[in-house]
Structure formats: C-alpha cells, structure tokens
Amino acid sequence: MKIIGIVDTTFARFDMGSAAVDEIKQYVSARIIRITVPGIKDLPVASKKLIEEQGCEIVMALGMPGAAEKDKMCAHEASTGIIQAQLMTNTHIIEVFVHEDEGKDEKELAFLMENRAREHSRNVVDLLFKPEKLVKQAGTGQRQGFEDVGSLRG
Ligand code: RDL
Ligand code: RDL
C-alpha cells in the first residue's frame, strides 16, 4: 500500500492536516502518516524524515505564514527548504501555504485554508495514483482555494 505523509503546524489557525486526511480518504485507500510541528520552518526536515525514515512516496506540507513582514520572510525560507528536501529525496512535497492575509476576514481565511488543503489533496492523489489526470488539466488555470482562473481566450 502506498504511504502518504501529512505534516502541518500548530502555528496555523485552522486544522489543515485533518482536512487533507479526510479528503484523501474519500478518494483512495492509502496509509497516511501524519505529524504536526510547531511552524513552517520545521516542515522541510519533518517531510524529509517521512520520506526517508517512514517510506512516504509523497508528502503534503501544510502551513500558515502570518501577516507580518518577518512571517513572509519565514515563508520564503520554509519554501526554499521544502524545495531542497524534494531535490534531496527526489520526491514531491506538495506545499500548501495559506498566508494569513489572503482572507479578508476570519471566515474567508478558514474557507481558504480548508479548500486549499482539500484541493491540493486531490492533486496529491492524482500525482501518486493517476498522473494522467493532471496532464488533462494542463494549461487550464487551476487554482487551489478560490476559483480557478481558466485558460486564456484569444
Ligand atoms: O523552529 C521553530 C520555529 O522557528 C519555527 O516553527 C518557525 O516556523 C515559527 N515561525 C516563526 O518563527 C515566524 O516568525 C512561524 C512563522 N513566523 C509563521 O508565519 N508561520 C509559521 N511559523 O508557521
Ligand atoms: O507544491 C504545491 C504548490 O505549492 C506549488 O504547486 C506552487 O507552485 C503553486 N503556486 C503558488 O503556491 C503560488 O503562490 C503557484 C504560483 N503561486 C504561481 O504564481 N504559479 C504557479 N504556481 O504555477
């Protein structure tokens, strides 16, 4: 059975990990290993450990960068680390970040955090089980969370 890793953070203000687990379970039977770390800068090594020590074939790294300038810097550093962990392990780590200032209020932020987690979960399922489904969506302007923007007309 394929193993999917889920890492999320205690810093985030919505339980994105649970949304991801719930979504994946609706589509496939895979073994899911979930861990939670304090914040986004802890996601790269946690993801790498899930791959190297627990045999995960793909990992989702979910987190919420705060709204302050230092948080955006932190998010950039975390992203760089996540990319490095992917290259070191030759394994996808799907980064699911929702910046705290992406939502206009708490309700919209919660909506976005849940929806982006769920939509990227479907990407994870497709990458692992049905990569040809993503090829069919090439160039279609997919977005995770809010509305898709669509292909260019012209
Ligand atoms: O390794 C412990 C912490 O440094 C780590 O958990 C950081 O990711 C925590 N953190 C910050 O220090 C920060 O300035 C976070 C943010 N901002 C942030 O915006 N989002 C986080 N963590 O998830
Ligand atoms: O690993 C999953 C995603 O994090 C990854 O696919 C990102 O490249 C998605 N993405 C963003 O998160 C973003 O803020 C993209 C953009 N912006 C962008 O401008 N163009 C993209 N992806 O192709």
Side-chain angles (χ1 to χ4, degrees), residues 11-23:
F11 189 103
R13 300 179 63 198
F14 184 89
D15 182 0
M16 298 168 87
S18 289
V21 171
D22 179 70
E23 190 72 17

Side-chain angles (χ1 to χ4, degrees), residues 139-143 147-153:
T140 57
Q142 300 294 312
R143 295 294 185 272
E147 292 277 282
D148 297 335
V149 298
S151 300
L152 300 177
R153 283 174 291 175

Side-chain angles (χ1 to χ4, degrees), residues 60-109:
M60 287 180 85
L62 308 114
M64 189 205 74
E69 210 44 54
K70 68 173 185 303
D71 297 326
K72 295 184 197 298
M73 172 81 78
C74 188
H76 179 259
E77 286 159 351
S79 274
T80 307
I82 288 170
I83 291 167
Q84 200 179 339
Q86 294 185 76
L87 296 173
M88 289 172 84
T89 57
N90 241 1
T91 303
H92 283 294
I93 300 168
I94 297 301
E95 179 200 286
V96 188
F97 282 3
V98 176
H99 289 253
E100 195 173 9
D101 55 11
E102 279 186 81
K104 67 176 184 315
D105 52 34
E106 292 200 356
K107 195 166 164 234
E108 190 177 81
L109 182 62

Side-chain angles (χ1 to χ4, degrees), residues 5-128:
I6 306 280
V7 197
D8 65 357
T9 68
T10 58
F11 189 103
R13 300 179 63 198
F14 184 89
D15 182 0
M16 298 168 87
S18 289
V21 171
D22 179 70
E23 190 72 17
I24 290 167
K25 281 187 172 164
Q26 290 178 36
Y27 288 88
V28 285
S29 59
R31 200 174 138 218
I32 296 173
I33 302 177
R34 179 177 176 185
I35 61 163
T36 300
V37 294
I40 52 178
K41 282 203 272 192
D42 311 312
L43 293 170
V45 72
S47 303
K48 185 166 174 281
K49 282 164 70 74
L50 282 174
I51 294 161
E52 292 182 345
E53 297 174 8
Q54 309 269 355
C56 291
E57 290 175 66
I58 194 163
V59 171
M60 287 180 85
L62 308 114
M64 189 205 74
E69 210 44 54
K70 68 173 185 303
D71 297 326
K72 295 184 197 298
M73 172 81 78
C74 188
H76 179 259
E77 286 159 351
S79 274
T80 307
I82 288 170
I83 291 167
Q84 200 179 339
Q86 294 185 76
L87 296 173
M88 289 172 84
T89 57
N90 241 1
T91 303
H92 283 294
I93 300 168
I94 297 301
E95 179 200 286
V96 188
F97 282 3
V98 176
H99 289 253
E100 195 173 9
D101 55 11
E102 279 186 81
K104 67 176 184 315
D105 52 34
E106 292 200 356
K107 195 166 164 234
E108 190 177 81
L109 182 62
F111 168 91
L112 185 58
M113 291 177 85
E114 170 151 24
N115 276 286
R116 187 166 293 159
R118 288 184 181 276
E119 285 198 46
H120 268 312
S121 299
R122 299 201 283 277
N123 283 333
V124 163
V125 166
D126 290 344
L127 273 171
L128 195 56

Side-chain angles (χ1 to χ4, degrees), residues 128-149:
L128 195 56
F129 292 92
K130 290 207 164 115
E132 67 280 1
K133 275 182 74 179
L134 291 173
V135 176
K136 283 209 182 102
Q137 292 177 37
T140 57
Q142 300 294 312
R143 295 294 185 272
Q144 292 73 35
F146 291 129
E147 292 277 282
D148 297 335
V149 298

